[in-house]
Amino acid sequence: MIFENYYLYQLGMWLVARLPRWFVDGVAVFLVDLNYPLNRRGRNAIWANLRRVLPPETPKNERRRIAQSTFRNFGLSIVDFFRIPQMTRENTHQFVTEVRGWEHIQEVMAARVGGIFMSAHMGSWELAGAYIAFNGVPLTGVALPHRDPRIDEMYQEVRENMGIEVVTVGGAVRRLYQALKQGRFVAVASDRDTSGQGELLPFFGEVTRMPTGHARLALKTGAWILPTSVYRLPDGRTAMEVRPPIRPDPENDTEESLTLRCMTVLEEFIRARPEQWSSFEDLWDQPALEGAVS
């Protein structure tokens, strides 16, 4: 992982509150560009994942540009997290400047069935979560813990101030079920299996383990799944696209079939903006896959 240092996070919070955006973003890009050649593990993972996403004829220099842009976009998304304390109900449009598909959220709220925001690790998802919560959507999210618990405390404080409830991976399923039954929305990133217990499914044409928890929750509660893409615009601002809801069909859907329906949309999101897909693990190189696929 890049940029994960408690003291850098503290410095980032301090800089964002006092210095202009262009300067802080420039510092972030400078640090990430220094990290790119040093972070061999993350760099190799990005290259491996892009090998499945990009067309085979993509030139090597273009692959290198996209890989480095992935690092930069991830670094800038962390800086966007530092900006969340400056967000209010009145100025959310200054942080998420383009929103498409908000009517789909309203449709789910009107149906009172519960909603599952399903996304990939793309763009400033923390910023988008704050925007959603500030605009009246009760939100519960799933998060992976950081190596440094002090960073977790920073994230938790910011999220709580936005009114976002967060549960950690592992003990999340029961609470997410309860949240949906209470009429809340939940947010999950569904492009990477972190448990080692995911189903073997084809992703970008090759089998790997993929999470199915969002499909299980939808089938169990009747909640509608809202595929959501968060991405950075050319001017550096954040945009969000919400697709029409995927409605579970208990009579015909299985966890696998519903997950596959969702994965099709995730592939579209990632192919459209591969330079913003922040997956620093080779999804197709997992010990759990050895011997499982032949």
Side-chain angles (χ1 to χ4, degrees):
M1 185 63 69
I2 63 173
F3 230 47
E4 188 171 310
N5 180 283
Y6 173 72
Y7 298 105
L8 280 178
Y9 273 51
Q10 291 279 33
L11 176 62
M13 286 283 195
W14 188 89
L15 291 174
V16 162
R18 292 164 175 81
L19 298 175
R21 181 189 184 100
W22 65 266
F23 180 83
V24 178
D25 285 358
V27 171
V29 169
F30 173 75
L31 292 174
V32 170
D33 283 350
L34 286 179
N35 181 269
Y36 179 76
L38 300 175
N39 190 341
R40 180 178 179 182
R41 184 171 180 270
R43 187 177 69 251
N44 288 346
I46 292 293
W47 274 81
N49 291 333
L50 289 176
R51 189 167 64 247
R52 278 86 173 189
V53 175
L54 299 176
E57 64 274 14
T58 305
K60 187 174 182 179
N61 62 336
E62 178 65 5
R63 293 174 184 269
R64 182 180 295 107
R65 183 195 67 79
I66 292 173
Q68 188 161 13
S69 294
T70 300
F71 273 65
R72 288 181 174 182
N73 280 310
F74 180 72
L76 290 170
S77 74
I78 295 176
V79 176
D80 283 341
F81 166 75
F82 298 153
R83 294 192 171 100
I84 291 178
Q86 302 174 29
M87 206 178 203
T88 67
R89 295 184 188 278
E90 291 72 31
N91 69 5
T92 55
H93 64 282
Q94 297 176 15
F95 293 83
V96 180
T97 57
E98 182 179 305
V99 179
R100 290 187 289 166
W102 190 264
E103 66 273 13
H104 302 310
I105 300 175
Q106 294 173 318
E107 179 185 1
V108 175
M109 294 183 79
R112 297 181 181 274
V113 292
I116 301 171
F117 289 107
M118 179 207 66
S119 66
H121 288 86
M122 293 182 66
S124 299
W125 53 84
E126 295 280 353
L127 198 63
Y131 177 92
I132 290 169
F134 261 143
N135 281 277
V137 180
L139 188 62
T140 298
V142 181
L144 282 170
H146 294 82
R147 289 193 300 265
D148 190 331
R150 294 174 297 178
I151 295 179
D152 278 330
E153 291 174 3
M154 293 176 66
Y155 272 87
Q156 188 66 19
E157 180 180 357
V158 170
R159 290 161 176 160
E160 287 179 354
N161 288 339
M162 299 300 106
I164 300 173
E165 177 190 32
V166 175
V167 295
T168 56
V169 171
V173 174
R174 178 177 296 181
R175 176 54 200 147
L176 295 180
Y177 173 79
Q178 293 171 343
L180 289 169
K181 299 305 280 186
Q182 293 167 356
R184 297 179 66 84
F185 284 62
V186 304
V188 295
S190 302
D191 58 331
R192 187 174 74 213
D193 174 48
T194 59
S195 68
Q197 305 298 317
E199 295 294 326
L200 292 169
L201 298 171
F203 193 42
F204 290 103
E206 293 187 37
V207 171
T208 187
R209 291 201 180 276
M210 294 296 292
T212 60
H214 55 296
R216 185 180 313 119
L217 283 168
L219 288 170
K220 191 171 183 179
T221 65
W224 296 356
I225 298 173
L226 288 164
T228 304
S229 176
V230 183
Y231 53 93
R232 187 173 303 279
L233 295 167
D235 66 359
R237 304 291 180 170
T238 292
M240 180 173 67
E241 177 189 3
V242 183
R243 294 282 183 90
I246 297 174
R247 306 184 187 189
D249 181 354
E251 293 186 1
N252 298 299
D253 271 325
T254 62
E255 282 187 27
E256 180 177 322
S257 68
L258 186 54
T259 300
L260 287 170
R261 288 166 62 191
C262 295
M263 287 169 61
T264 298
V265 186
L266 287 180
E267 288 180 354
E268 292 177 13
F269 287 156
I270 294 168
R271 281 199 174 98
R273 298 176 180 85
E275 76 283 355
Q276 300 198 36
W277 186 33
S278 303
S279 184
F280 294 95
E281 300 287 339
D282 183 349
L283 303 190
W284 292 267
D285 182 22
Q286 304 176 36
L289 289 177
E290 295 179 5
V293 182
S294 59

